[in-house]
Amino acid sequence: MQRRAILFSAPSGSGKTTIIKRLMEYFDCFEFSISATSRKPRQGEADGVDYYFLTPESFEEKVRQSLFLEWEEVYAGTCYGTLKSEIDRICGMGKVMIFDVDVNGGLNIKKFFGDDALAIFVMPPSIEVLEQRLRSRGTESEESILKRLSRSRKELDESPKFDVTIVNDDLDKAVEETRRIIENFIGNKQ
Ligand code: ADP
Ligand code: 5GP
């Protein structure tokens, strides 16, 4: 069975988690790669489901032990990374790996998997809409919103490096367009 990876990257608040959740209901062959993070869980998030929530010390220890395929300090003092054990877990199940990672992480994973990966950039309709979505999600402090917006501007410039860009304006349309692109990718790999 061939390894296949689909990765979603975007500025925070663009809607990648929402799109991934919708696609996971449609594609039985998908398995989400659970990242590790040193941030605290948000309300409703569970350890081993949304993330592996680690202390900063435990995250650093895993970095030292070279247990990550890639990792980033996405926001000052907060690290996120893909554990190599996740790749083994999902490949062992014979499923398609789904990643929700920041833009640098996405480009690193694409480099690692090459043609076995489809790199999708989720583009918000505008910075203003991105800000509204981040605020209406209601999960971030003002400081965290400002950190995320300031990083977004740089991340948007990286979109041409991805295989495809999906503009997430109307959610149903974005999901449908992504579904078609993925079916084409998976079909070509069988
Ligand atoms: P990300 O995972 O990229 O940080 P989320 O999926 O958490 O983004 O989406 C951010 C917020 O925007 C959420 O409250 C989500 O419900 C909302 N959202 C996502 N896509 C759309 C859309 N197309 N139109 C309006 N709101 C959206
Ligand atoms: P959040 O705190 O909103 O869940 O995630 C913040 C950012 O970290 C998002 O852009 C998300 O895609 C990214 N992220 C989550 N997991 C990983 C990972 O394993 N590696 C990298 N590089 N980024 C990640």
Side-chain angles (χ1 to χ4, degrees):
M1 160 73 76
Q2 183 164 11
R3 291 191 309 187
R4 286 161 304 173
I6 299 171
L7 57 98
F8 292 83
S9 294
S12 181
S14 301
K16 58 194 177 312
T17 309
T18 308
I19 292 175
I20 291 172
K21 283 198 173 137
R22 289 270 296 266
L23 292 168
M24 300 285 298
E25 288 165 15
Y26 184 84
F27 288 100
D28 289 344
C29 57
F30 279 11
E31 183 69 19
F32 186 65
S33 166
I34 304 166
S35 295
T37 180
S38 65
R39 83 155 161 76
K40 297 243 164 30
R42 293 179 187 136
Q43 195 166 14
E45 285 183 332
D47 185 41
V49 177
D50 300 283
Y51 282 106
Y52 299 113
F53 291 100
L54 306 178
T55 60
E57 295 74 26
S58 163
F59 196 102
E60 270 170 38
E61 182 55 29
K62 288 189 184 338
V63 171
R64 270 197 296 276
Q65 292 173 334
S66 303
L67 298 183
F68 285 105
L69 173 67
E70 61 79 34
W71 69 276
E72 290 282 325
E73 185 171 355
V74 177
Y75 305 110
T78 310
C79 296
Y80 298 80
T82 305
L83 290 161
K84 292 175 186 168
S85 54
E86 278 299 285
I87 313 299
D88 297 341
R89 178 178 74 82
I90 301 171
C91 287
M93 297 166 87
K95 294 213 165 184
V96 179
M97 296 168 263
I98 305 297
F99 298 92
D100 172 342
V101 291
D102 86 319
V103 168
N104 289 335
L107 293 173
N108 284 333
I109 291 172
K110 172 70 189 175
K111 209 162 159 192
F112 181 80
F113 287 111
D115 288 345
D116 293 337
L118 174 68
I120 300 176
F121 190 94
V122 180
M123 178 77 82
S126 65
I127 289 269
E128 292 72 26
V129 171
L130 183 70
E131 179 168 1
Q132 276 166 22
R133 286 186 188 166
L134 267 178
R135 290 189 185 283
S136 65
R137 192 169 71 185
T139 54
E140 308 305 316
S141 64
E142 185 61 23
E143 186 196 353
S144 168
I145 288 173
L146 296 178
K147 268 193 206 172
R148 282 159 198 262
L149 287 173
S150 111
R151 191 177 167 93
S152 301
R153 294 184 176 85
K154 280 180 238 128
E155 289 182 319
L156 289 171
D157 291 343
E158 304 279 5
S159 65
K161 296 183 182 163
F162 283 72
D163 296 323
V164 282
T165 294
I166 301 289
V167 179
N168 181 22
D169 189 354
D170 178 294
L171 180 62
D172 288 339
K173 279 195 193 145
V175 170
E176 185 51 25
E177 190 185 348
T178 314
R179 189 181 65 74
R180 271 190 283 111
I181 290 168
I182 290 175
E183 269 174 351
N184 190 34
F185 171 74
I186 292 177
N188 287 339
K189 293 274 158 202
Q190 275 166 351

